[in-house]
Amino acid sequence: SQQGEEDPQALSIQEGENATMNCSYKTSINNLQWYRQNSGRGLVHLILIRSNEREKHSGRLRVTLDTSKKSSSLLITASRAADTASYFCATDEDNQGGKLIFGQGTELSVKP
Amino acid sequence: SQTIHQWPATLVQPVGSPLSLECTVEGTSNPNLYWYRQAAGRGLQLLFYSVGIGQISSEVPQNLSASRPQDRQFILSSKKLLLSDSGFYLCAWSRSWGQYFGPGTRLTVT
């Protein structure tokens, strides 16, 4: 089953602007993860936020989690052309043995 | 450090032909292993996962099967490919803090 739903599906911004992507899910989770995929490549793990955490930072990335609304957001500050990629959220559901359920992704384009 | 390999990188196969995609992991032992398929412009669909040698769980009934003959080897197979099997196939292994993906295999069934 597809749990994560992301919006927007596509986002185009100028270099230096911030990019915000949102993810909603349906069931209870252990944690939520964000991944990045360059065109035609494998996914790269960016950040994990646990169900008891509300906000997490890693470099220019900021992730928030609202378990009451079953939603998360990924903010990329001061974007660069090299940030152009697809971004996916994935949920690790309770008692599912580490399986992840991926969203459909947001395609981010950062124009120089 | 851990690395994950997939081959081949690209594959073009006729309908009805067999398939074998291989994934190997180095630098870790007893990893959880996963096969995903990604259609163009879409998210990942979990096909199979394995928590140990010979232990395979199937997520979606279909034309594919998986095997884990060794601790760090995961194989995706089909006896007869369908057009709908075309896609980007990704192997991954997991630790508690996330999954690590291989480079993927682009399969085109003609």
Side-chain angles (χ1 to χ4, degrees):
Chain A
S1 62
Q2 204 65 38
Q3 159 123 285
E5 296 293 333
E6 292 164 81
D7 77 274
Q9 290 187 345
L11 179 62
S12 182
I13 60 175
Q14 294 294 130
E15 219 168 17
E17 295 180 339
N18 295 341
T20 300
M21 289 160 270
N22 303 295
C23 170
S24 60
Y25 58 93
K26 297 175 182 174
T27 65
S28 60
I29 61 172
N30 286 322
N31 61 68
L32 185 144
Q33 304 172 29
W34 285 90
Y35 289 80
R36 166 196 167 120
Q37 183 182 33
N38 286 70
S39 180
R41 307 292 294 275
L43 278 72
V44 175
H45 182 263
L46 294 176
I47 196 166
L48 178 152
I49 186 164
R50 301 189 190 286
S51 59
N52 62 352
E53 297 176 310
R54 292 297 167 259
E55 188 170 311
K56 204 159 183 180
H57 297 255
S58 177
R60 293 184 295 112
L61 304 180
R62 172 178 167 249
V63 169
T64 61
L65 179 65
D66 187 333
T67 52
S68 66
K69 295 181 179 179
K70 291 186 167 58
S71 67
S72 173
S73 67
L74 170 68
L75 168 67
I76 303 174
T77 60
S79 64
R80 306 167 182 167
D83 294 328
T84 295
S86 292
Y87 292 83
F88 295 89
C89 69
T91 51
D92 182 348
E93 298 178 0
D94 289 340
N95 302 317
Q96 290 296 312
K99 293 188 301 180
L100 296 180
I101 307 297
F102 282 83
Q104 294 298 309
T106 293
E107 193 172 330
L108 174 66
S109 174
V110 182
K111 301 185 186 307
Chain B
S1 64
Q2 300 87 10
T3 55
I4 180 168
H5 303 279
Q6 273 187 259
W7 65 89
T10 59
L11 191 60
V12 180
Q13 292 282 107
V15 168
S17 63
L19 173 73
S20 181
L21 302 181
E22 190 160 343
C23 170
T24 59
V25 180
E26 296 177 357
T28 187
S29 59
N30 197 30
N32 286 356
L33 296 172
Y34 308 84
W35 275 112
Y36 293 90
R37 177 168 59 202
Q38 184 179 33
R42 303 294 302 276
L44 277 68
Q45 179 187 37
L46 178 63
L47 302 176
F48 301 95
Y49 74 98
S50 172
V51 299
I53 295 174
Q55 300 178 61
I56 308 294
S57 295
S58 175
E59 290 297 296
V60 182
Q62 57 201 317
N63 188 40
L64 302 169
S65 62
S67 62
R68 185 170 177 174
Q70 300 180 44
D71 181 45
R72 289 169 287 178
Q73 184 185 30
F74 204 22
I75 297 172
L76 183 69
S77 303
S78 173
K79 292 183 179 177
K80 288 185 179 181
L81 284 168
L82 306 172
L83 284 174
S84 57
D85 291 325
S86 293
F88 191 48
Y89 288 83
L90 289 155
C91 179
W93 69 278
S94 69
R95 300 291 291 271
S96 58
W97 52 83
Q99 293 190 4
Y100 295 85
F101 286 80
T105 295
R106 175 81 53 194
L107 172 66
T108 303
V109 182
T110 60

